[in-house]
Amino acid sequence: MSTENTAPAAPSNFIKAIIEDDLKTDKWGGRVHTRFPPEPNGYLHIGHAKSICLNFGVARDYGGKCNLRFDDTNPLKEDVEYVDSIQEDVRWLGFDWDGRCFYASDYFERIFECAVALIRKGLAYVDSLSAEDIRAYRGTLKEPGRNSPYRDRSIEENLDLFMRMRAGEFPDGAHVLRAKIDMKSPNVVMRDPTLYRIRHAAHHRTGDAWRIYPMYDFTHCLSDSFEGITHSICTLEFENNRELYDWVLDALGMYHPRQYEFARLNMTGVVLSKRKLIKLVEEGVVDGWDDPRMPTICGFRRKGFTPESIRDFCERIGVARSNNLVDYALLEHCLREDLNARAPRVMGVLKPLKLTIVNYPEDQTEEFEFPFHPENEAMGSRKLPFCRDLYIERTDFLENAPKKWFRLAPGMEVRLRYAYYVRCVEVVKDASGEVVEVRCEYDPATKGGWSNDGRKVKGTLHWLSARHAVPAEFRLFEHLFLTGGAAANVDDPEAAAASLNPNSLETLRGFVEPGLADAEPGWRCQFERTGYFVADTKLTRPGAPVFNRTTGLRDSFAKELQKG
RNA sequence: AGGGGAGUCGCCAAGUUGGCAAGGCAACGGGUUUUGGUCCCGUCAUUCGAGGGUUCGAAUCCUUCCUCCCCUGCCA
């Protein structure tokens, strides 16, 4: 399935331990069958990727299956747009449900029958309390609840009412179907949980066929059971719901998968709450779900991340039961490791500064060979034009250089990558004192960017011929929030505004080498010395490329400077 | 007057029956380098939330305590 030559030994985790143990004891007849069960009410984010990699990953590793199942029981929040995006993202991540894409809504009739069976067993009843009363009767975390006055309706009456609920005879909220369990249970989930509610709403798949919709707790265990799931893996917040999961299946005497919970992913610098992400989209704080600043799968995709790097990340963070906060730097590390090996090296100048070679013939042009990957000859090379008028990076020149500076400065000599050594002989400034051009002399004996005379030239600069470079736009991204991660407050408008990073998107107008004029949308590369980039899939046009910075290169010099 | 979980390096995280505390990220040193990138080498937990106990021996067993997370939707 994947290459294992570079991958470190996969860390074991408790889910795998359970599966291996089950395989050993033949608990499920040798089967491993998981499922990834998103609700189609938003786009998938990096936290979902952890769950996807876990569920599809163990199925793959142990010769089992993993279903994609949409948990679509709440027509008010769900939409086909989300269904489509979820399928696209799971596929992009590299997983295949092998035709087993299911919907909880496909089971509505069977689920309804289960509810009827529960009523017949005297284990469910129609409650006619208002929502507020139900809440009041439920008690508190420390105090037991009380029985609803409708709890002892006869089976016949319950059946009649439930059928009429289905028939649409009652308005929303008039009745609910509840499991008859224990209003004094220390586990609040078990205090006669709601199984069905009335919702006169069109469902994105079943249309107007239903006026009642089953709740998550009732739907999920039954769906798992219908599909023959063996290991039902979910996140920690469903731990309390496991008791109900088991109760429903036992009450009905049905095939009974086991639920296991793991800790969801938290990461520095990003918000991973669906509710908050929706808000960012709806309020126009970002461009949409696939804004490169979003921690969504499609956001990372548009930013230039590879599915391989995300899978590697999910492998490395491990799966455990303790709350965690993973450093964003780990994701970046996985990305760089992948891109370093695959991304062709090309030239781009983000913040151009004119460099004129005063002793180079005015009308002369020559070409130099540039390999696409210095460490991988197989990736080939191309020639780039050189002339008297060049662009270099503005940040590569400093009039008053600090101690360890080995880029360009007055009197200093640097190497222009694969071309010549040049020495700065003059600085041209505009009226405001800003440097607008540096003038240099080149050494013809250093053609190709090398000299055998033992001269030590520590700095190597990337450059572009000003006469041949093509204009390009570069988009640099930073975290959306200053305060970082889970702490970001999206609900309080003032706090949200204060925590928003005003520089999360910076657009630069620079130049790229001629061959990149018609860069294919989605094409990834490394602009030497600056970072990994991808041609934006929405904004790039033939002759007018737009590049998103996927991530910068590691920069030990920046650290050096900070230290002073 | 609750119930369910979790505490191992700055961040993740292994540690199956007690027997020398894996690995990754980050950080920090050094080497190589026509990318201040990559790569290579090295450093980085006498201690596992705290105390007590059992034991020749405890992150692992017992015990008391502390901290954090989840649960009172007709959301999932």
Side-chain angles (χ1 to χ4, degrees), chain A residues 47 72 89 117 131 135 156 171 188 215 230 267 298 331 340 343-344 421 434 470 493 506 534 549:
Chain A
D72 55 351
D89 291 346
R135 193 180 317 125
E156 291 65 35
V188 182
M215 302 286 289
T230 55
M267 192 160 62
C298 57
L331 215 207
N340 175 54
Y421 289 2
E434 195 190 347
V470 339
E506 185 184 7
V534 65
R549 184 169 69 184

Side-chain angles (χ1 to χ4, degrees), chain A residues 145-221:
Chain A
R146 290 137 51 214
N147 287 171
S148 163
Y150 302 99
R151 198 171 197 261
D152 294 316
R153 289 216 251 232
S154 70
I155 291 175
E156 291 65 35
E157 187 182 4
N158 282 322
L159 243 22
D160 174 64
L161 250 17
F162 191 47
M163 294 303 165
R164 290 164 63 194
M165 280 167 67
R166 174 176 184 169
E169 286 186 30
F170 310 112
D172 287 8
H175 309 282
V176 292
L177 183 73
R178 292 229 259 170
K180 190 186 285 188
I181 306 181
D182 179 10
M183 289 306 291
K184 292 187 289 298
S185 172
N187 181 359
V188 182
V189 171
M190 298 298 279
R191 317 241 262 231
D192 289 9
T194 301
L195 266 23
Y196 266 92
R197 76 285 216 187
I198 299 170
R199 277 238 207 298
H200 290 265
H203 186 279
H204 64 99
R205 297 200 93 229
T206 61
D208 294 319
W210 292 88
R211 279 73 155 187
I212 55 174
Y213 293 92
M215 302 286 289
Y216 163 83
D217 284 308
F218 195 49
T219 307
H220 203 86
C221 54

